[in-house]
Amino acid sequence: MGIVAHVDAGKTSLTERLLYAAGVIDRVGRVDDGNTQTDSMDLERKRGITIRSAVVSFALGDLPVNLIDTPGHSDFIAEVERALSVLDGAVLVLSAVEGVQPQTRLLMRTLRRLRIPTLLFVNKIDRVGARYDELLADIRRLLTPSAVPMETVTDLGTRPAGVEPLPVQRPELAEILAERNDSFLESYLEGAAVDQAAELRRQVATAEVHPVYFGSAMTGTGVPELIEGIRTWLPRATGVPGDQLRARVFKVERGAAGQKIASARVVSGTLAARTPVAVHPVDGPEYQVRPSGVEVFANGARQPIERVEAGQIVALRGLKSIRIGDQLGVPTTQVGRLFAPPTLETVVSARDRVKLFQALTQLAEQDPLIRVRKAGELTVSLYGEVQKEVIASLLESEYGVQVSFSETTPIHVERLNGVGAAMRDITEGPWAAGVGFRVSPGSDGLEYELEVELGGLPRAFHTAIEETVRQTLHQGLFGWEIPDIRVALTHTAYDSAGTVAADFRRLVPLILLQAIAEAGTTVLEPVNHFELDVPPDTISRILAHVAEHRGVVTQATDTHLEGTIPAATTHPFESQLPTLTHGEGLLTTTFHSYIPVATEPPIRPRTDGNPLNEKQYVLHLNQS
Ligand SMILES: Nc1nc2c(ncn2[C@@H]2O[C@H](COP(=O)(O)OP(=O)(O)OP(=O)(O)O)[C@@H](O)[C@H]2O)c(=O)[nH]1
Ligand SMILES: [Mg+2]
C-alpha cells in the first residue's frame, strides 16, 4: 500500500500513527521533532520533508501490510512513480485546510488511470480553517465524481475534532454504486435486499469508487476508522506462490558498508537466497544472479529470511548491477512513464572530478533521474531547486565531495519540421555496412518501423541498428533530445564475411542525422502550469511580475491566478514572490508542455563526436 499526497499533507505523520496503532512503535514520532520512522535520512529530519520513499511493515489485525511512505514535493515525483508501479492499494491524503492541491490532482489522475484501489484520507481536521462540505464538493469536482464520505466530523477545525461513522447501507451510497452497475441498479429499484458493502468493496477494488475518511494524524483522531477502512475495503494482494517468479525492483540504496540493497515487490512465485534468478534490466540483455541475502520488512525492521512468497516486498543483497525498474524472473510489460520527465539541468563541479563522477554515478543508481552527462563538464537533470540542494548535501555527507552548481537551465527538446531521408550503401563508406532511414514527426516516443525484410539481416545487426537509433536521438541537430519521432529503416546491407555489429553502430548516427538534417528540427522549451494564491492588495503587482517572466494568465480572480510560465523563468519568478506578497504568496507548478523557443535556439554541447560533420566524426571514432 502506498501513501501519497501533495507536499506537507501529513503522509509521514499518518504513517507514524499507523505504526503506533499496529504496535510497532510505542511512541509516536513527529516530523517537526525529526524522529519519525520513515523520514530517516539526516536531510529529511533536518528539513522536515520526505525525500526518498521508505518501506515499513506492520500487521493490522490479521492483515500484513507493507507500506510505502512517499515524498510529496514535486521535485521528488520520480520516487512516487517508482512506488506506484508496485502498489495494490493507496491512501491519498489531503489537508482539510488546503484541500485539493495540484499534486493531489496529478496523483489521483494517475491512480485512476492505473486502476489502483484508493481510499482518501482528509487529514488535519483539528486545524483552524478545516472544511467538510465544501471540500467534499471540491473532491468530487476535481478528483473523482464517485467520492463517498464514510464519516461526518464533529467540532471541525478545533483540537477536539472527532469523527462519526455514516452507515454503509444508505440511499446516497446506493445511488453512487448503482450508477456503475446495472444489475445492482435493477435490484435496488425493485426494492430487493442489496448488499451495499459487498458492492462497495467490489467497486473500490476496481478503482471506480473512492471512500473518504477524515481525521488528524496529529491527534490520532480518525486513524482507527481509517485502519478499519483499509482492512474492509482495500483488496488483499493475491499472488500465486506456485507460479513463476515475477518481481520488480523499485528502490536501490546502499547499506552502511556501501553494499547495494534492492527493494523489490514479488508479484508471483517465490524467491530464495543463494538461488539463481534471472534479471531483466530496463535496457540491456538478461543475466543471472544469486542474491546473497533476502530480507523481508517486519515489525519496523528488516529480517533475513530463506524464502519469500508472492505479495511481499523484499530487500535483496549481493546484486551488484541491479537498477531501479529491473524485473526479476519472468518480465511483464514495463509500466512506462507516468509523469513528465525532468525539465531542468545544472552543471556540477568539484575540485576532485574523478571522485565527483564516481559519487554521482552511485547516486544515479539510487535515483535514475539523476542523469549524469559528460560533455566536457558534468551535468545532472533536475525537477527543481530543492532537488539541487538535496544532491549537494548528499554528495557532501555521503561521499565527502563539496560541489558547486551553475545556474539551473531548462532542458530543451527538438521536434522534426517535416520528412527527411538518407541512405548509404555498403560500397560507399569506411565501414562494411549499409543503411537507409526515413524520418518524420511523431507524437508518442520513438516509433520504429522496418521497411526491409527482417530476415535480410542477422538479428544481432538489427538489434545494433535499433539501439544505435535510440542513442543517436538523444542529440538532435542542436544537441537536444528528439523524444517524438517516426523512424523507418528503409535499407540495409552487410557482408557475411566481414561485417560486425560495430560497423552498424558507427554508421547509423551518421545516416540518421543526415535524414534528420534534411527534415530540419525546431527547438522547444518546457513550460509549466502554475497556480498562485496571493493577498488581494498585491494582485496588480503580481500580474506585472507574471508578464515580466513570460507567463500567460488563463484564469484570474483577485486572489488566485492560473496560467503557464516557462520552466526557465519559474525559479526567478518564485524567488521574488515572498517580497511581493508579504510572504503570503503560494505557488505550485507542474509540467505543462513544450513550446517553440521564441529566440535564437540554444545549442547544447555534443557528446557523440558530432556525426553531423563526417570528417570530425571519423576522427573522433579513430581516437576513442
Ligand atoms: N494540525 C495538524 N498538523 C498536522 C497533521 N498532520 C501533519 N501535520 C503537520 O503537517 C506538517 C507536515 O507533515 P508531514 O507528515 O511531514 O507531511 P508529509 O505529507 O509527509 O510531507 P512530505 O513528505 O514532505 O510531502 C508537519 O508539521 C506536521 O506536524 C494534522 O492532522 N493536524
Ligand atoms: Mg513525508
Side-chain angles (χ1 to χ4, degrees):
M1 178 178 108
I3 299 201
V4 296
H6 192 90
V7 65
D8 264 357
K11 298 172 289 295
T12 301
S13 307
L14 179 61
T15 302
E16 200 69 13
R17 278 281 164 194
L18 293 171
L19 286 170
Y20 178 73
V24 172
I25 50 176
D26 49 23
R27 227 188 111 239
V28 181
R30 287 171 50 107
V31 173
D32 314 83
D33 300 338
N35 59 359
T36 61
Q37 297 293 309
T38 48
D39 281 356
S40 58
M41 281 165 64
D42 282 347
L43 197 61
E44 293 181 315
R45 301 195 152 184
K46 222 161 54 202
R47 298 191 59 128
I49 61 165
T50 304
I51 294 166
R52 293 274 159 82
S53 295
V55 183
V56 286
S57 68
F58 48 87
L60 298 177
D62 65 339
L63 176 68
V65 177
N66 286 295
L67 183 149
I68 308 179
D69 176 22
T70 64
H73 195 288
S74 57
D75 280 13
F76 309 116
I77 187 78
E79 285 285 306
V80 187
E81 179 164 288
R82 283 164 224 145
L84 287 176
S85 70
V86 299
L87 296 185
D88 300 308
V91 174
L92 177 68
V93 182
L94 290 91
S95 157
V97 181
E98 279 83 15
V100 177
Q101 296 174 280
Q103 196 83 347
T104 328
R105 294 164 77 164
L106 180 68
L107 290 165
M108 189 72 204
R109 209 164 46 223
T110 313
L111 288 164
R112 290 180 67 188
R113 183 150 60 89
L114 297 175
R115 296 203 159 272
I116 296 176
T118 301
L119 305 183
L120 272 55
F121 183 70
V122 176
N123 189 32
K124 307 196 184 185
I125 58 166
D126 61 296
R127 257 182 58 193
V128 177
R131 299 167 298 153
Y132 183 88
D133 286 322
E134 192 197 331
L135 181 55
L136 266 176
D138 279 353
I139 290 174
R140 293 210 174 103
R141 190 166 52 88
L142 301 170
L143 297 181
T144 163
S146 47
V148 182
M150 305 303 284
E151 297 153 336
T152 55
V153 176
T154 54
D155 298 317
L156 183 65
T158 64
R159 183 96 190 163
V163 297
E164 293 283 343
L166 285 165
V168 173
Q169 208 72 24
R170 65 182 199 269
E172 180 216 358
L173 179 52
E175 277 158 30
I176 289 177
L177 295 173
E179 270 173 42
R180 284 160 192 83
N181 181 346
D182 288 342
S183 65
F184 180 87
L185 173 67
E186 253 169 60
S187 323
Y188 182 68
L189 290 179
E190 283 166 9
V194 284
D195 186 347
Q196 288 189 200
E199 184 59 21
L200 177 59
R201 195 172 300 118
R202 201 189 63 73
Q203 294 197 17
V204 172
T206 52
E208 289 169 283
V209 167
H210 302 96
V212 186
Y213 286 86
F214 294 82
S216 164
M218 184 71 98
T219 65
T221 300
V223 174
E225 289 80 359
L226 174 68
I227 289 175
E228 208 37 49
I230 291 169
R231 285 173 46 83
T232 314
W233 308 119
L234 287 184
R236 298 185 177 209
T238 51
V240 190
D243 255 11
Q244 281 176 302
L245 172 69
R246 284 192 177 79
R248 186 189 295 275
V249 176
F250 64 94
K251 183 180 164 99
V252 172
E253 62 202 303
R254 282 184 183 263
Q259 75 283 27
K260 262 193 191 179
I261 305 170
S263 301
R265 159 73 203 273
V266 182
V267 182
S268 69
T270 59
L271 209 163
R274 298 174 304 281
T275 308
V277 287
V279 180
H280 303 269
V282 183
D283 44 13
E286 176 191 334
Y287 65 95
Q288 296 270 328
V289 285
R290 274 171 210 269
S292 60
V294 176
E295 295 164 1
V296 287
F297 297 84
N299 289 326
R302 289 199 196 101
Q303 287 170 3
I305 190 171
E306 266 312 299
R307 171 179 296 271
V308 291
E309 307 221 316
Q312 283 182 302
I313 287 181
V314 290
L316 301 169
R317 291 177 184 267
L319 309 187
K320 286 205 184 62
S321 315
I322 203 79
R323 301 191 57 122
I324 290 172
D326 287 357
Q327 301 193 66
L328 309 177
V330 186
T332 48
T333 48
Q334 285 286 357
V335 179
R337 176 151 257 158
L338 301 176
F339 304 112
T343 56
L344 300 169
E345 65 182 357
T346 181
V347 175
V348 201
S349 41
R351 211 173 294 142
D352 188 343
R353 271 182 58 99
V354 178
K355 205 166 157 198
L356 172 65
F357 185 68
Q358 284 168 349
L360 273 177
T361 315
Q362 280 203 12
L363 267 191
E365 286 166 0
Q366 299 171 29
D367 183 351
L369 283 177
I370 298 185
R371 252 190 285 171
V372 192
R373 203 182 122 95
K374 227 175 167 179
E377 41 201 17
L378 286 168
T379 58
V380 292
S381 27
L382 298 171
Y383 275 99
E385 296 295 320
V386 176
Q387 200 188 358
K388 196 166 161 179
E389 287 171 45
V390 167
I391 292 173
S393 82
L394 283 178
L395 286 172
E396 173 146 19
S397 65
E398 290 184 16
Y399 301 93
V401 187
Q402 275 193 347
V403 295
S404 57
F405 293 110
S406 71
E407 208 177 304
T408 307
T409 51
I411 302 177
H412 293 72
V413 296
E414 294 179 39
R415 185 195 289 155
L416 255 59
N417 297 334
V419 180
M423 90 155 237
R424 171 150 327 163
D425 217 341
I426 186 160
T427 50
E428 294 173 61
W431 305 296
V435 288
F437 293 108
R438 193 182 57 258
V439 296
S440 51
S443 57
D444 185 22
L446 165 64
E447 297 162 72
Y448 183 71
E449 295 143 28
L450 295 184
E451 288 187 10
V452 292
E453 289 289 323
L454 185 62
L457 195 69
R459 251 271 191 266
F461 293 165
H462 270 297
T463 310
I465 294 172
E466 190 175 341
E467 278 177 12
T468 313
V469 164
R470 280 181 200 282
Q471 269 162 26
T472 305
L473 293 172
H474 288 154
Q475 305 182 48
L477 303 182
F478 299 88
W480 303 102
E481 186 176 355
I482 306 177
D484 299 322
I485 184 174
R486 301 169 70 141
V487 176
L489 179 65
T490 54
H491 170 77
T492 60
Y494 78 109
D495 167 3
S496 59
T499 305
V500 291
D503 292 324
F504 283 103
R505 290 189 194 277
R506 294 173 159 219
L507 178 62
V508 164
L510 206 63
I511 307 307
L512 183 58
L513 276 172
Q514 276 176 15
I516 292 170
E518 193 183 290
T521 65
T522 301
V523 176
L524 313 174
E525 69 169 329
V527 170
N528 290 323
H529 171 82
F530 74 88
E531 288 189 26
L532 177 60
D533 291 296
V534 295
D537 62 311
T538 63
I539 194 78
S540 57
R541 241 182 309 159
I542 291 296
L543 283 169
H545 188 57
V546 172
E548 275 162 33
H549 289 84
R550 298 195 284 130
V552 178
V553 174
T554 52
Q555 269 187 54
T557 66
D558 58 354
T559 58
H560 182 83
L561 295 180
E562 284 184 35
T564 56
I565 184 166
T569 51
T570 300
H571 180 63
F573 175 79
E574 185 171 19
S575 60
Q576 289 158 42
L577 276 182
T579 348
L580 290 173
T581 62
H582 343 295
E584 286 175 44
L586 200 67
L587 177 79
T588 34
T589 57
T590 43
F591 172 76
H592 183 264
S593 59
Y594 286 99
I595 60 164
V597 293
T599 52
E600 189 73 12
I603 293 172
R604 188 195 225 189
R606 308 191 77 90
T607 61
D608 59 359
N610 194 12
L612 287 163
N613 177 327
E614 183 158 355
K615 255 200 201 134
Q616 213 178 324
Y617 178 64
V618 173
L619 207 66
H620 165 83
L621 289 180
N622 290 342
Q623 282 166 352
S624 56

